[in-house]
Amino acid sequence: MRKLLSALALMATAAGAAVVITVAVPVAPALALDNGLARTPPMGFNNWNTTACRSTFNESLVLGIIDIFVNQGLRDVGYQYVNLDDCWAVPAPNSRDANGNLIPDPTRFPRGIKFLADYAHARGLRLGIYTSAGTKTCNTLGFSGGLDHEQQDAALFASWGIDYLKYDNCNNQGVDAQLRYTRMRDALAATGRPIVYSITEWGRTGPPRVWEWGKEVGNLWRTTGDISDNWTSMIGKAQFNRTLPQWAGPGHWNDPDMLEVGNGGMTATEYRTHFSLWAMMAAPLLIGSDLRNVSADTFTILKNTDVIAIDQDRLGRQGVVIANDGAGHVVYARALANGDRAVALSNETTTTATMSTNVNAIGLGGSASYTLKDLWSKATSTTTGTISTSVAGHSTILYRVSRNGTTRRIEAEAASFSSGTTIDRNWSGYSGTGFVNTPNATGSFVQFTVDAAAAGPATLTFDYGNGSTSDRPVSVSVNGASGGTLAFPATGAWALWKQQTLNVNLNQGANTIRLTATGTGGVANLDYLDVTTTGGGVVHYQAEDATIFQGVVESNHAGFTGTGFVNGDNVVGSGVEFMVASTSGGSTPVTVRFANGTTTNRPMSVNGQTIDFPGTGAWTTWAEVTFTLTLSAGSNAIRLTSTTANGGPNLDRLSVG
Ligand code: GLA
């Protein structure tokens, strides 16, 4: 067992626990944005779309929204940031006090901004604020901006306990945008407080445009001008924002502006389209209506946890348009962390239409059957491949599509490969800890070991990126015999991922699947292999292929299955997470193979249940413990977490069924 607590983990804990850090020695300016925030798109509220600069923007609104977040369960479904927009300060020219600090408007906010931040923090929420990367903010009644006051304003915000800054673009005096926004990035970093940084430059200047440099500077950036509460404005934002999927990823998102849901200018159908498309595009979900005064419909839309789960999917890939007939019928698809796909059939016309796609087009082909869940009606249905439905004018049908059978994932970084191959992380949207990049040469290869409980057919899905303009073809061998070829066509950008599927027959036990490049480009960047089988029986999931938290893969103690075992750190919270698919769900036997060479029991929490892992006598003596878990039909996360400072046992594999 590893004895050292990783320094990184220690730092992460310290940062996570921080409330206000007063920094005596300024932190050196960051070279890139590495604040660790917004790993999924920010969710919360911003007052602008409902109040603009009117007097209704005041303390009672902000406190009211915070209370509603708590009382109506919005906090529980993920809404977190309550953000103040323009006009929170005394208008210029009297915005600053004798020390140069911005003064909150005493009529709107008689108890100041720190009071609001404390109120939000006490309820598990966060508070955001606004200023402009210019001499003044945008509204004509606005106040002094942040240009040339970056450090003082950032320090003031941090001292109030601010967690999010929207930094606008008005009155910027023609100073280069990258320079202005980078200065505030560094000022925020120097405060030592974690502050989500929202660049509101609207994609106005460049090239390079904000999405091309935004990742290094902010957590999100506006891609368009301001949204208004009508269909034409909303759909226009979507039409532009959907052209930029390769720029989004965990920690850095395209922002097509805040939500209008609930403001009254669109129908419930149109607001559902708005919310669906924002979720497909991994856009921030910042509520823009006065929740003290909205219809029940509004809450139903904003609290649709199935749709929120698409937006917040931890793989962090923005959905892409896979079909657009140019006449207002647009199909989007988005790959999700557990291998499912989200599909939106969006009808921008005013006339009902039948819209169709299929499982191949969304990268999920090859299998015998699929489950579709309509995320608005909640109806589920089964298909062998076609996805087709009637879609009313201005409506969007949103499905989550799962492959039936049992799917397990093998990360490409857990495979073996030809020499010169690297595991890279420079293109976001990868699953696991990186992706595999082979040398650009004929003969480069990636080889997976696939354990099968029983002989029989399997569908292999390879997730890959190919930002070149040519195919990256491979020949596939299965246990040494030819298994076919895959073309791996260009995906449009290195940060755009697609899938290719292949049906093969597996032997019982270990199978060797090798992809060998037949072109001089080598193998495309490979992210993962999903193996789907439809037979019953026990399915084994190797710990070394699972997601590992605070631990390493080792092979120094004999007797393990697969290619190694996971040795978790000797801390509370180390462990692994397996993604397990179940056809029917229900109470299912689960067996964990482990070794514990100490004489002390090493308990772990497994989806909330505590399982004991007693000493096995030696690190090379492996034992099994079986217990029951209730699984859902479809994908399930099974997470094993150590509950004591000794860490868990060495973990070899998990078997289901
Ligand atoms: C700009 C921004 C808006 C809003 C206003 C406030 O227009 O794009 O989102 O913040 O300023 O004045």
Side-chain angles (χ1 to χ4, degrees):
M1 287 279 142
R2 290 168 79 206
K3 306 244 161 28
L4 285 177
L5 176 59
S6 108
L8 261 181
L10 192 65
M11 283 162 57
T13 314
V19 178
V20 177
I21 301 175
T22 314
V23 181
V25 183
V27 176
L31 294 174
L33 186 74
D34 50 7
N35 66 6
L37 301 172
R39 302 304 296 170
T40 61
M43 292 175 64
F45 169 87
N46 173 298
N47 64 285
W48 188 255
N49 287 347
T50 176
T51 67
C53 206
R54 291 184 288 278
S55 59
T56 45
F57 174 40
N58 58 29
E59 184 182 283
S60 72
L61 170 76
V62 177
L63 299 184
I65 296 295
I66 292 172
D67 290 344
I68 288 175
F69 267 24
V70 175
N71 300 336
Q72 300 290 321
L74 289 140
R75 177 186 63 185
D76 297 339
V77 300
Y79 294 96
Q80 195 178 23
Y81 293 95
V82 175
N83 295 346
L84 315 186
D85 209 285
D86 201 356
C87 305
W88 60 266
V90 172
N94 302 315
S95 299
R96 294 181 184 276
D97 66 16
N99 298 320
N101 285 326
L102 292 163
I103 312 167
D105 184 323
T107 310
R108 295 179 194 268
F109 298 108
R111 287 178 277 190
I113 307 298
K114 183 171 187 309
F115 170 78
L116 300 176
D118 291 345
Y119 192 88
H121 295 158
R123 288 156 184 77
L125 296 170
R126 296 174 194 269
L127 199 83
I129 207 159
Y130 162 101
T131 185
S132 180
T135 48
K136 279 178 65 178
T137 63
C138 291
N139 191 270
T140 45
L141 288 176
F143 61 97
S144 166
L147 190 64
D148 297 328
H149 296 271
E150 290 86 356
Q151 199 57 67
Q152 175 161 24
D153 291 351
L156 181 68
F157 299 153
S159 77
W160 287 340
I162 289 294
D163 307 294
Y164 185 116
L165 174 66
K166 173 176 175 179
Y167 201 36
D168 217 333
N169 193 34
C170 291
N171 303 302
N172 59 48
Q173 311 303 316
V175 181
D176 176 72
Q178 243 175 298
L179 181 74
R180 287 180 291 120
Y181 286 94
T182 303
R183 272 160 58 180
M184 183 54 90
R185 174 198 71 186
D186 293 341
L188 292 172
T191 69
R193 185 175 173 83
I195 298 176
V196 172
Y197 184 29
S198 160
I199 301 175
T200 308
E201 194 264 356
W202 323 304
R204 188 61 61 84
T205 57
R209 298 295 191 100
V210 63
W211 41 89
E212 296 171 80
W213 51 263
K215 177 182 174 182
E216 315 299 322
V217 179
N219 295 112
L220 61 157
W221 48 83
R222 283 274 296 277
T223 55
T224 67
D226 291 3
I227 195 170
S228 310
D229 185 22
N230 62 72
W231 168 263
T232 307
S233 170
M234 182 279 291
I235 204 69
K237 306 297 164 216
Q239 286 164 343
F240 186 73
N241 196 72
R242 72 190 180 206
T243 65
L244 304 170
Q246 68 270 36
W247 305 107
H252 52 99
W253 309 101
N254 289 314
D255 174 7
D257 208 359
M258 303 168 296
L259 298 171
E260 292 284 7
V261 178
N263 280 332
M266 288 182 249
T267 64
T269 296
E270 291 169 340
Y271 282 140
R272 279 192 293 273
T273 288
H274 182 13
F275 201 66
S276 300
L277 297 184
W278 263 236
M280 287 301 287
M281 296 189 298
L285 299 179
L286 293 172
I287 298 168
S289 55
D290 184 347
L291 296 174
R292 298 172 302 177
N293 196 10
V294 292
S295 65
D297 254 359
T298 303
F299 283 109
T300 309
I301 294 171
L302 296 173
K303 286 169 64 176
N304 186 325
T305 50
D306 286 324
V307 182
I308 291 171
I310 304 301
D311 183 75
Q312 295 289 302
D313 185 77
R314 68 185 156 86
L315 193 55
R317 292 186 190 170
Q318 178 172 330
V320 295
V321 172
I322 57 163
N324 182 349
D325 67 0
H329 306 104
V330 186
V331 184
Y332 302 69
R334 177 170 176 186
L336 303 173
N338 72 350
D340 292 353
R341 300 290 184 283
V343 179
L345 301 144
S346 187
N347 184 355
E348 298 176 0
T349 78
T350 51
T351 322
T352 300
T354 297
M355 294 184 63
S356 308
T357 183
N358 62 67
V359 292
N360 293 322
I362 63 171
L364 206 59
S367 283
S369 84
Y370 305 80
T371 299
L372 302 183
K373 181 174 182 187
D374 180 324
L375 303 186
W376 289 107
S377 77
K378 310 296 180 187
T380 59
S381 55
T382 302
T383 177
T384 55
T386 300
I387 300 168
S388 184
T389 182
S390 170
V391 189
H394 287 190
S395 179
T396 297
I397 302 288
L398 188 58
Y399 291 119
R400 186 169 186 126
V401 187
S402 324
R403 203 177 240 148
N404 293 336
T406 303
T407 297
R408 77 195 153 101
R409 175 158 303 177
I410 304 175
E411 294 292 346
E413 57 272 27
S416 55
F417 9 79
S418 46
S419 71
T421 297
T422 52
I423 295 173
D424 292 350
R425 297 178 180 81
N426 53 328
W427 305 113
S428 59
Y430 53 79
S431 166
T433 57
F435 57 87
V436 165
N437 181 356
T438 69
N440 300 118
T442 306
S444 288
F445 70 85
V446 180
Q447 180 173 309
F448 294 89
T449 302
V450 176
D451 253 353
T459 302
L460 307 182
T461 304
F462 297 94
D463 188 65
Y464 76 101
N466 176 3
S468 79
T469 51
S470 323
D471 288 6
R472 292 268 170 111
V474 299
S475 63
V476 183
S477 73
V478 179
N479 298 322
S482 170
T485 59
L486 291 171
F488 291 126
T491 54
W494 290 109
L496 286 178
W497 303 88
K498 288 190 175 170
Q499 301 82 31
Q500 291 234 286
T501 58
L502 188 69
N503 286 327
V504 298
N505 275 305
L506 297 179
N507 299 330
Q508 184 174 22
N511 293 265
T512 302
I513 313 281
R514 184 190 279 228
L515 280 63
T516 307
T518 52
T520 52
V523 184
N525 285 349
L526 270 193
D527 182 28
Y528 62 77
L529 163 61
D530 274 352
V531 182
T532 307
T533 48
T534 46
V538 178
V539 182
H540 300 302
Y541 298 85
Q542 292 298 334
E544 63 271 25
D545 298 335
T547 303
I548 300 168
F549 303 92
Q550 301 187 60
V552 290
V553 176
E554 290 178 350
S555 53
N556 53 331
H557 300 305
F560 54 83
T561 63
T563 57
F565 56 86
V566 170
N567 178 352
D569 292 354
N570 294 354
V571 291
V572 174
S574 63
V576 293
E577 183 176 281
F578 297 89
M579 288 308 302
V580 168
S582 170
T583 312
S584 48
S587 179
T588 310
V590 172
T591 301
V592 177
R593 192 166 189 272
F594 71 99
N596 175 1
T598 74
T599 51
T600 313
N601 188 14
R602 295 225 166 160
M604 298 192 91
S605 159
V606 184
N607 288 12
Q609 217 180 112
T610 300
I611 305 295
D612 288 333
F613 292 95
T616 55
W619 290 111
T620 48
T621 304
W622 298 86
E624 290 188 333
V625 56
T626 300
F627 49 94
T628 303
L629 285 181
T630 304
L631 301 183
S632 324
S635 282
N636 296 265
I638 300 182
R639 188 167 178 148
L640 287 72
T641 315
S642 82
T643 57
T644 73
N646 291 327
N650 284 350
L651 294 171
D652 182 33
R653 73 177 178 202
L654 177 123
S655 309
V656 177

